[in-house]
Amino acid sequence: MKNKASFLPREGEAQPSRCPDNTAFKQQRLPAWKPQLTIASVLSIFFLTGAFCLTVGICLVLSANSVREIQVDYSDKCSDCSKLRENSSNWNKECHCSANFTLKEDILGDVFMYYGLQNFYQNHRRYVISRSDAQLLGRNVNIQRSYCAPFSAYRNGTPMAPCGAIANSMFNDTIDLFYSHNSSVIQVPLLKTGNSWWTDKNVKFRNPESYNLSSAFAGTARPPYWQKPVYLLDEEDERNNGYVNDDFIVWMRVSAFATFRNLYRRLRRVQRFAEGLPAGNYTFRISYNFPVTRFKGRKHVILSTVVWSGGRNPFLGIAYLVSGTAATLTGFVITGIHLKLRKKQTYFQEQ
């Protein structure tokens, strides 16, 4: 074993320096630009920022106000169906109701149908994580180890497909729109597909690989609150079934607020509705399945157009207006303080 004294520098030997190398980079001598804040530059920044935000905010507010929107609350109009659905033993009984409204003017262009829920909280931590992303990708996974509990499997061990509280609580009212014209009733053509994000439809959701969907989901069972298995969500379009069903994908993107709306259908612009929705009397015919009384919620259906800035939501425009007003007022305050100090400085110089 070496002596500790052998590690110490000998007398007369130079100790290694710990200082950084004498280079421009390590000694921080590289050329740099340092802004020189003058009163002119500061005021220019505040006033230009205020003018920009005010201009953008006015454009956004005007754009949001130009959106045509019809909202119909059918919670009270379907009160009988709501009472029926509160009893879980009536899950297999059908109940239909209707809600009438009138369009005084034509709604031209693309028209979107949304369903809205009020007082339905999707932002609870355990609710948000109650899903299996691996299962939704079509993989064969053990969902007992996922966060889907208690909606992961039945008592006999049969796994649920899809599992989790989000999927189990999926909105399942069926809403159809009818147009009354010259004593005849015409069903408005609506599109069920193309309502989800491309990344969700093609990246995040996949069906298990098999020669048909019924065999792909063999050995699984539907969630308790569902009326049909996942491979029969759309009996008219085989490609819109399973985990890639548009209604299911839209629902799985949870909302941050208790009151929200989700895209449900889009107007198919053909024949009489090629230009949009004509003025007249309309009826929503609803197959009521989603109970809301227990959590004191309400349901409504919305018909809306969209503009370049999106739907009818003035929040972003108001935020820009507030920011622009604050920046402009700050510029005026700084200007006032500068003029006051300069006047005082001039006075003392004259004295």
Side-chain angles (χ1 to χ4, degrees):
M1 183 176 181
K2 294 183 179 180
N3 190 0
K4 292 183 179 180
S6 61
F7 294 97
L8 298 176
R10 297 178 181 179
E11 185 176 356
E13 291 184 354
Q15 297 183 2
S17 175
R18 296 184 180 181
C19 295
D21 296 336
N22 188 20
T23 61
F25 176 75
K26 291 188 177 181
Q27 295 297 333
Q28 299 183 10
R29 294 195 301 265
L30 291 174
W33 175 76
K34 184 178 180 181
Q36 298 294 330
L37 296 179
T38 62
I39 187 62
S41 62
V42 171
L43 291 179
S44 299
I45 292 173
F46 274 102
F47 284 122
L48 289 176
T49 302
F52 172 78
C53 291
L54 289 174
T55 303
V56 175
I58 292 173
C59 294
L60 290 173
V61 170
L62 293 177
S63 176
N65 291 335
S66 66
V67 173
R68 293 288 307 279
E69 183 175 294
I70 301 295
Q71 180 170 319
V72 178
D73 190 322
Y74 63 93
S75 303
D76 297 332
K77 299 177 181 179
C78 299
S79 57
D80 294 337
C81 293
S82 178
K83 294 178 182 178
L84 180 70
R85 286 287 172 257
E86 290 304 321
N87 189 348
S88 59
S89 61
N90 298 326
W91 67 270
N92 58 344
K93 296 181 180 179
E94 294 185 358
C95 188
H96 301 273
C97 56
S98 61
N100 302 322
F101 68 97
T102 302
L103 284 182
K104 298 181 179 179
E105 299 179 357
D106 297 345
I107 299 182
L108 303 177
D110 295 328
V111 181
F112 299 84
M113 179 189 292
Y114 301 83
Y115 63 84
L117 290 177
Q118 184 177 344
N119 206 36
F120 188 92
Y121 289 85
Q122 288 187 310
N123 54 5
H124 191 280
R125 183 183 64 85
R126 293 195 60 186
Y127 181 89
V128 171
I129 66 175
S130 184
R131 58 187 294 166
S132 174
D133 292 322
Q135 183 194 46
L136 298 176
L137 283 171
R139 300 173 184 172
N140 187 12
V141 295
N142 184 7
I143 61 174
Q144 295 287 359
R145 298 180 180 178
S146 65
Y147 295 102
C148 289
F151 301 102
S152 56
Y154 288 92
R155 293 182 179 179
N156 59 3
T158 304
M160 299 180 188
C163 70
I166 305 176
N168 183 61
S169 61
M170 176 180 168
F171 183 85
N172 56 353
D173 282 0
T174 302
I175 306 173
D176 295 316
L177 181 61
F178 292 87
Y179 172 56
S180 300
H181 178 71
N182 294 334
S183 69
S184 62
V185 178
I186 306 171
Q187 184 171 3
V188 179
L190 301 172
L191 295 173
K192 298 181 180 180
T193 58
N195 301 324
S196 59
W197 292 12
W198 185 92
T199 52
D200 289 344
K201 188 80 170 182
N202 297 276
V203 178
K204 294 185 178 181
F205 293 83
R206 285 282 189 274
N207 284 326
E209 295 183 359
S210 182
Y211 63 92
N212 60 36
L213 278 182
S214 59
S215 61
F217 289 98
T220 64
R222 59 176 175 80
Y225 292 171
W226 285 28
Q227 297 177 332
K228 58 180 75 172
V230 66
Y231 54 86
L232 292 178
L233 289 178
D234 189 352
E235 299 179 2
E236 299 177 358
D237 188 356
E238 296 181 357
R239 298 171 298 178
N240 191 35
N241 272 314
Y243 298 147
V244 296
N245 176 266
D246 274 57
D247 292 340
F248 174 71
I249 292 175
V250 170
W251 177 259
M252 292 301 290
R253 184 174 292 276
V254 296
S255 172
F257 302 99
T259 299
F260 61 93
R261 63 176 65 177
N262 285 335
L263 182 59
Y264 182 66
R265 296 288 183 266
R266 292 179 296 123
L267 175 66
R268 184 180 179 187
R269 298 174 61 178
V270 294
Q271 299 177 356
R272 187 183 298 274
F273 307 97
E275 301 296 328
L277 289 179
N281 297 321
Y282 289 85
T283 301
F284 286 119
R285 292 184 183 177
I286 303 155
S287 177
Y288 198 103
N289 298 304
F290 194 87
V292 295
T293 305
R294 290 188 177 181
F295 56 87
K296 298 180 181 179
R298 301 192 69 83
K299 296 188 293 185
H300 43 271
V301 58
I302 306 105
L303 293 176
S304 177
T305 60
V306 295
V307 291
W308 62 271
S309 60
R312 190 172 185 177
N313 188 359
F315 173 79
L316 186 59
I318 294 175
Y320 268 100
L321 290 176
V322 172
S323 301
T325 303
T328 305
L329 290 178
T330 303
F332 281 115
V333 171
I334 294 176
T335 302
I337 294 174
H338 171 69
L339 294 176
K340 184 177 180 180
L341 292 178
R342 189 175 66 175
K343 183 178 180 181
K344 184 181 296 186
Q345 184 179 8
T346 304
Y347 172 77
F348 283 112
Q349 288 178 353
E350 292 178 352
Q351 293 296 325

